[in-house]
Amino acid sequence: MTTKMVFAQPQPVLDARESDEWTSGICDCCDNKPQCCFAFWCCPCFACVKTRKYGQCLCLPLLDIFGPAHPATLAMRVSMRHRYGIKGTICKDCAIATFCTACAWCQMAREMDSRAIPIALVGTRPTQ
């Protein structure tokens, strides 16, 4: 019986979509009408669902309820810009998070959908 030793595992190949802009505008809510309606009528619920999908704590957006500023929306927007390499400024993010909260969440949801990279887990079995 011979044993094969594997020295290098195959690495996953990611299809990078290089763009330094948002894939949709802040006012493109009608691109996904059901999502837009959900965000408009129940923005806290929509934000919690999308925050969880992004990989953060489900209740994080509830911090936005306690004041005129929206720290969770701002933090998510800045995090998403950094993760996807999107150009922008903290000043613009702050203004959008404060005055266009539902539209900001819709835009972030569309961005997550358009930049989603499916991950395939490959099963392994021992070679004989």
Side-chain angles (χ1 to χ4, degrees), residues 50-118:
K50 295 305 172 181
T51 300
R52 183 67 174 164
K53 182 179 176 186
Y54 189 70
Q56 297 298 319
C57 176
L58 175 71
C59 298
L60 179 68
L62 298 180
L63 293 173
D64 287 351
I65 295 172
F66 298 111
H70 298 281
T73 304
L74 175 62
M76 284 289 295
R77 190 169 171 84
V78 170
S79 173
M80 192 168 290
R81 274 196 315 101
H82 285 278
R83 179 181 285 184
Y84 298 135
I86 299 170
K87 290 188 301 187
T89 64
I90 191 76
C91 184
K92 188 174 180 181
D93 290 335
C94 187
I96 289 172
T98 302
F99 299 111
C100 307
T101 308
C103 292
W105 280 105
C106 284
Q107 184 185 34
M108 290 188 290
R110 289 190 306 272
E111 197 68 30
M112 284 190 290
D113 291 343
S114 70
R115 294 188 187 243
I117 300 172

Side-chain angles (χ1 to χ4, degrees), residues 19-38:
S19 173
D20 59 355
E21 298 293 331
W22 292 93
T23 56
S24 63
I26 192 73
C27 295
D28 291 341
C29 292
C30 291
D31 288 352
N32 188 332
K33 289 180 181 130
Q35 185 170 275
C36 178
C37 288
F38 183 20

